[in-house]
Amino acid sequence: MRLPALCPGCGHMTAGAPLSEIDVLVAGGAAAGLCAAIAARRAGATVHLVESAPRALRGGNTRHARNFRIAHDGPAPWVPDAYPADAFLNDLLRVTEHATDDPVARRLIDGSADLPGFLIDNGVALQPTSRGVLPYSRRTAFLLGGGKAMINALFATAVQLGVGVSYDTALAGLHVEPGHCTAELRRDGSLTRITARAVVVATGGDQADRAALRRQLGDAADTVVVRGTPHADGSGLRLLLAAGAAAAGTPGLGHLVPVDARGPAVDGGIVTRITGIPYGVVVDQHGRRVADERADLRRTHYAQWGPRIAACPEGRAALVLDHDGLSRAAPTALPPVSAPTLAGLAAALAIDPAGLDATVRDVNATAEARGGRPIRVPPFAGYPLVAGITFLHHGVAVDAAMRVRLRTGGIADRLLAAGGIMAATVLRRGYLAGLGVTLAAVSGRIAGEEAARVATR
Amino acid sequence: MSRPADTPIDAATEAERLLRICAACMYCDGYCAVFPAIAGKHGFPRADIEHLAHLCHNCRGCWYACQYAPPHPFAVNLPRTLAEVRQESFARHVRPRWLAGAFARNGRVAVAVVSAVTLAALALVLIAVPPEILFGVHTSGGAFYRVVPWGVMTAAAGLSFAWAVVAVAAATVAFWRTIGPRAPLRIVLRALPAALADIVTLRNLGGGGHGCNDTGEKLSGERRASHHVLVAGFALTVLSTVSAALLHHVTGAPAPYPIVSLPVLAGTLGGVLMLVGIAGLAAIETRADREPAAPAEIRMNIVLLALLAATAASGLAVLGLRATAAMGLALTLHLGVVVGTFLVLPATKMLHAPFRAAALLRAAIDRLIAPPRRSGGE
Ligand SMILES: Cc1cc2nc3c(=O)[nH]c(=O)nc-3n(C[C@H](O)[C@H](O)[C@H](O)COP(=O)(O)OP(=O)(O)OC[C@H]3O[C@@H](n4cnc5c(N)ncnc54)[C@H](O)[C@@H]3O)c2cc1C
Ligand code: HEM
Ligand code: SF4
Ligand code: SF4
């Protein structure tokens, strides 16, 4: 065994410890990276995982996730009824408008059926549907305590299995050579070079990189807030592309949702999302109505509102509700701005009062004539809105073993990609609830097994 | 957005800020009854916050699972904040009200009262009981009462016990007035079985089935198990005392009783179980991560553990030493500890039992009146 010398427990490399040669290097300490590291280690490889975030912020966007989509043929304690693999694939084809890589999608969907078992075997707790207040969902299973609880459990299992873990350590260089890869790791500004027989890059997307956002979304990027980890800076993606990886996805597309403008600039997660749009009226800063709030009442409606808000002047808008509308909306992390009159609310939200007044009159007149939801009962409430980015629809292309496809047409057999970084292979547009974690965990597991296979061959 | 670092903020205000975030998130809804109780809520009146604080069983699951724990700017630390609210809430409901001062310093007060009562008892016995009786070896029935006369013993223990029961009950009634839902008796009765099940099993100390974060990130069922052992032991000692009283009054046989008798067997086993449970809880308390805990609550837990340990250990000492010359002093010591403990009990963490029971009952009632709103993921 050539296990790297580590400071046991704390997971940091001990100063000067030789971390020179290992079987599998995994970059990224979230769902994909952890599943890869655990799978590779269980397959007998020596594994080291580097996570660019400090320990307290390990787990990337996965920390913010709640449920994941699984194919299954019958009920289990954590999921009712059935969701056959074919139905899963049909849903994926529908939302992507067939913009997917079929064999890879099938492999991942088949893998989703074993995912609950794999996670449970590795210490993750799933929430039985009988506990708490879960909505009915035959397509997704819920993580007890959410994504961070899963991350904690997977890290504990990985360390217990002997996976070396370094926090605050980023993959900063990558060279594919015959028979092995050479990687550069950056910690506290200094670089260490190591040799690995295979590398799994599971560093997520580049949605937290302003330059990338700007390239993809144009001017709108400046006001967009990042819903997840600031560490999704695209460093891994750039390294793969520089190593010759083929790009996948649709430039310019991203999953954008309305979020509370008062929330944090990064890592606001699920709680700053504003879902009460169907109960009120959305106006821009001139008080002009942005779109019909009740035209689409599906649970995924908010994904259409992100781009609309990003397109408003200065990328800002506001949701205005009356007392009745507010009582129907889901609770929000920050209390709404509140005022006894519409004019007062407009002032507090920095919206043109005349414009808002005209819009509300119009909404109320329509509501009276054709039925609908008037904005009438004080006090009035409002949320300032901006668009929040979940992920961008681009990354690298992989084959069904998660090996990176090269622009030249071949595949890199020692270079694997898993999770958000390769999601665009199968998800070039659209989104399905619970897909992110499933793609990450299943691709991670496959990549880890494949990496161990080529590394220990 | 985050908890202001330098301005003092009262725990209930901070709890409201956090509960809003939690109600928007709900990722922890599988851990305990607190989250279903806040589902869909837009605001939290003070009474609700107090109710939720006692509904929280301090399992810390929602601390390790929280995506908004520090260093996140939302700085969510629900277990510690609810523990702080509990402290304030106990203090506001302690009855008689003047005990609030003793509650605030319950460690020092407990030590002072228990040692004063014990020392006084020892002094009285040393002065009033002739040495040949106090240090004699007694084997016949009624031996205890030759050291401490029956009337004195029952009066001291009975009166202090009655004081504890009345004061704790008054505090509980006051707390129920604060949190109690306006539900018809019919609903209260229908809610009772579920509430009783939650009380007896401590389901909410089970972390949704996988155990709690007793000492840190790792899950375990130790705290819950130790608490069960302690309460079982406590119940056995109550059984021992009640059966001894019955034997005394019904059969007229005075203590001490033979080894194979209900009072002695239940008392011995109960005392041992209490000590085992207390040792388990104390070990967890000392190893536990301090971050999600309120220092004042830790101190209160330790005070209660110490009082119960002293009571159990001195009771076992009487059983062990009853056929020796040390019986007289051991009995006096035990009596002093028991009376002292009863005297301070209404100003200790012992209030947690009826307060949590009340909160669990209200939660069960609320679940019948307004089933919680469901929430999803992404
Ligand atoms: C608010 C929010 C809610 C979501 N909710 C859900 C949900 O309910 N269900 C669902 O299925 N999906 C959800 N998603 C999507 C899901 O979180 C992601 O698709 C999934 O977590 C991606 O996992 P990953 O392992 O690929 O990458 P990530 O979780 O993004 O993690 C990437 C990791 O790599 C690290 N890293 C980055 N660069 C480097 C480097 N150079 N070297 C080393 N490490 C590096 C980062 O620190 C990070 O830990 C949500 C996303 C967000 C933002
Ligand atoms: C209604 C019944 C009871 C309930 C619901 C209950 C619940 C709880 C809970 C949830 C805790 C841990 C959380 C905290 O630190 O506050 C706890 C702690 C404690 N309980 Fe109880 N309890 C009950 C009865 C009792 C009884 C009868 C005793 C004593 C005989 C007791 C003794 C203790 C002690 C000593 C602690 C502190 C332990 C520690 O340091 O962690 N409890 N109780
Ligand atoms: S994850 Fe944090 S904010 Fe969400 S419910 Fe749990 S404690 Fe509350
Ligand atoms: S500490 Fe445990 S019992 Fe208290 S609110 Fe959090 S999860 Fe619930």
Side-chain angles (χ1 to χ4, degrees):
Chain A
M1 291 263 271
R2 283 161 285 122
L3 272 181
L6 289 169
C7 144
C10 75
H12 283 316
M13 284 186 280
T14 35
L19 172 71
S20 50
E21 241 183 71
I22 47 166
D23 290 335
V24 177
L25 173 72
V26 177
L34 285 162
C35 290
I38 289 171
R41 183 75 191 113
R42 286 200 187 275
T46 56
V47 183
H48 197 91
L49 182 149
V50 293
E51 159 65 300
S52 60
R55 190 186 189 286
L57 296 176
R58 66 185 186 179
N61 281 358
T62 311
R63 278 176 304 147
H64 295 300
R66 174 65 153 128
N67 53 347
F68 58 97
R69 190 168 282 247
I70 46 170
H72 61 108
D73 294 322
W78 47 85
V79 68
D81 301 332
Y83 185 48
D86 285 344
F88 192 157
L89 184 63
N90 284 338
D91 284 340
L92 184 70
L93 293 174
R94 177 174 47 81
V95 294
T96 58
E97 298 163 22
H98 290 260
T100 188
D101 178 324
D102 248 61
V104 181
R106 267 174 216 277
R107 177 82 200 269
L108 292 171
I109 289 173
D110 287 346
S112 78
D114 297 336
L115 184 54
F118 176 80
L119 293 177
I120 290 169
D121 287 348
N122 288 302
V124 176
L126 303 187
Q127 186 168 336
T129 50
S130 56
R131 282 201 67 102
V133 287
L134 295 180
Y136 170 85
S137 165
R138 74 184 171 94
R139 298 182 176 88
T140 64
F142 284 72
L143 296 159
L144 181 68
K148 187 168 172 193
M150 167 167 91
I151 290 294
N152 291 343
L154 292 179
F155 264 110
T157 302
V159 168
Q160 204 187 350
L161 290 171
V163 171
V165 174
S166 307
Y167 298 110
D168 298 301
T169 306
L171 179 69
L174 189 59
H175 310 279
V176 184
E177 282 150 53
H180 69 273
C181 300
T182 308
E184 273 150 29
L185 305 180
R186 190 189 310 108
R187 181 181 163 79
D188 295 336
S190 63
L191 286 179
T192 323
R193 188 177 270 266
I194 74 157
T195 304
R197 289 162 184 272
V199 175
V200 180
V201 183
T203 51
D206 59 351
Q207 69 278 358
D209 177 33
R210 281 287 150 197
L213 277 181
R214 205 149 221 301
R215 273 196 306 277
Q216 301 298 326
L217 305 177
D219 288 348
D222 296 346
T223 47
V224 163
V225 304
V226 176
R227 302 180 63 208
T229 179
H231 291 272
D233 59 6
S235 46
L237 181 55
R238 283 193 297 278
L239 289 174
L240 283 184
L241 292 173
T250 315
L253 274 192
H255 185 262
L256 287 163
V257 306
V259 301
D260 195 318
R262 300 164 299 169
V266 292
D267 259 339
I270 199 82
V271 302
T272 57
R273 192 180 72 182
I274 298 292
T275 56
I277 285 177
Y279 310 108
V281 58
V282 178
V283 294
D284 65 14
Q285 56 182 228
H286 305 297
R288 288 184 304 233
R289 193 173 183 186
V290 175
D292 180 1
E293 295 79 11
R294 296 172 61 77
D296 179 359
L297 295 177
R298 282 172 304 176
R299 274 242 289 272
T300 49
H301 71 90
Y302 36 80
Q304 297 163 15
W305 278 93
R308 285 180 196 147
I309 291 163
C312 285
E314 289 179 34
R316 293 178 164 271
L319 169 65
V320 172
L321 304 141
D322 72 351
H323 180 74
D324 291 349
L326 183 66
S327 68
R328 276 163 219 273
T332 51
L334 304 173
V337 175
S338 179
T341 63
L342 273 175
L345 189 70
L349 290 168
I351 303 173
D352 174 31
L356 178 63
D357 191 60
T359 299
V360 169
R361 273 173 206 282
D362 192 41
V363 166
N364 290 353
T366 320
E368 229 153 73
R370 280 187 268 144
R373 188 172 298 289
I375 312 276
R376 192 162 283 153
V377 187
F380 299 97
Y383 294 98
L385 301 176
V386 289
I389 180 92
T390 320
F391 59 84
L392 289 163
H393 279 285
H394 75 144
V396 296
V398 294
D399 72 359
M402 306 306 136
R403 294 178 296 190
V404 170
R405 288 186 191 281
L406 299 172
R407 278 194 297 278
T408 53
I411 48 165
D413 66 343
R414 291 175 188 275
L415 191 54
L416 302 104
I421 198 168
M422 52 59 69
T425 300
V426 290
L427 193 72
R428 286 177 218 151
R429 60 172 66 245
Y431 187 63
L432 285 170
L435 201 56
V437 165
T438 297
L439 292 184
V442 177
S443 64
R445 183 183 178 187
I446 296 171
E449 283 163 0
E450 175 63 20
R453 201 183 60 76
V454 354
T456 56
R457 192 163 53 190
Chain B
M1 184 159 57
S2 59
R3 179 177 187 159
D6 39 5
T7 40
I9 190 164
D10 78 295
T13 309
E14 170 68 354
E16 177 166 25
R17 182 181 76 82
L18 302 191
L19 289 166
R20 274 189 160 283
I21 296 173
C22 291
C25 172
M26 291 295 285
Y27 279 21
C28 294
D29 77 312
Y31 284 135
C32 72
V34 168
F35 298 93
I38 63 172
K41 295 253 167 78
H42 280 269
F44 301 92
R46 171 94 196 201
D48 286 4
I49 290 175
E50 284 195 49
H51 158 58
L52 294 165
H54 293 281
L55 193 56
C56 165
H57 282 41
N58 200 10
C59 80
R60 298 136 189 246
C62 66
W63 162 252
Y64 295 96
C66 188
Q67 52 192 316
Y68 301 112
H72 193 282
F74 280 151
V76 173
N77 188 339
L78 194 61
R80 177 193 284 181
T81 307
L82 292 183
E84 286 165 0
V85 175
R86 280 198 292 278
Q87 291 305 112
E88 291 181 5
S89 167
F90 283 136
R92 288 197 323 129
H93 292 98
V94 165
R95 293 292 180 276
R97 284 174 202 274
W98 49 261
L99 268 186
F103 175 83
R105 291 177 290 275
N106 78 91
R108 264 172 286 164
V109 171
V111 171
V113 171
V114 173
S115 21
V117 174
T118 310
L119 290 176
L122 286 172
L124 266 177
V125 166
L126 283 169
I127 294 165
V129 182
E132 62 277 17
I133 295 187
L134 182 55
F135 298 108
V137 176
H138 308 267
T139 44
S140 58
F144 294 159
Y145 309 127
R146 253 169 271 151
V147 179
V148 184
W150 182 84
V152 176
M153 197 189 292
T154 4
L159 285 176
S160 58
F161 175 69
W163 146 259
V165 169
V166 169
V168 169
T172 310
V173 169
F175 177 61
W176 184 255
R177 288 230 173 92
T178 298
I179 67 156
R182 281 186 218 292
L185 187 63
R186 179 176 53 83
I187 300 275
V188 178
L189 291 178
R190 256 180 59 207
L192 215 47
L196 279 175
D198 287 350
I199 292 167
V200 173
T201 62
L202 289 183
R203 190 174 65 92
N204 290 285
L205 215 44
H210 297 264
C212 291
N213 297 88
D214 289 341
T215 56
E217 215 164 84
K218 203 168 147 296
L219 296 176
S220 100
E222 276 176 56
R223 193 137 177 255
R224 186 185 188 189
S226 294
H227 193 284
H228 280 324
V229 170
L230 165 60
V231 174
F234 181 75
L236 283 172
T237 60
V238 172
L239 177 68
S240 161
T241 312
V242 172
S243 60
L246 284 178
L247 280 179
H248 186 99
H249 290 287
V250 179
T251 68
Y257 299 104
I259 299 285
V260 189
S261 65
L262 191 54
V264 176
L265 286 181
T268 315
L269 183 61
V272 170
L273 286 181
M274 278 182 72
L275 288 179
V276 170
I278 290 166
L281 290 170
I284 292 167
E285 199 66 82
T286 49
R287 275 187 296 142
D289 188 351
R290 290 284 184 265
E291 201 62 32
E297 181 158 83
I298 298 178
R299 285 196 295 275
M300 294 194 73
N301 284 346
I302 290 170
V303 171
L304 182 59
L305 287 169
L307 286 172
L308 294 170
T311 307
S314 61
L316 286 176
V318 177
L319 280 166
L321 299 174
R322 63 188 197 159
T324 73
M327 179 277 278
L329 285 186
L331 177 67
T332 314
L333 184 81
H334 181 51
L335 194 61
V337 171
V338 168
V339 170
T341 299
F342 281 147
L343 288 180
V344 293
L345 219 49
T348 67
K349 174 82 186 262
M350 199 59 224
L351 291 174
H352 83 284
F355 280 40
R356 281 214 165 86
L360 286 167
L361 178 59
R362 168 165 165 196
I365 292 170
D366 286 351
R367 285 198 296 270
L368 288 177
I369 299 177
R373 184 137 107 177
R374 315 205 148 248
S375 66
E378 182 168 308

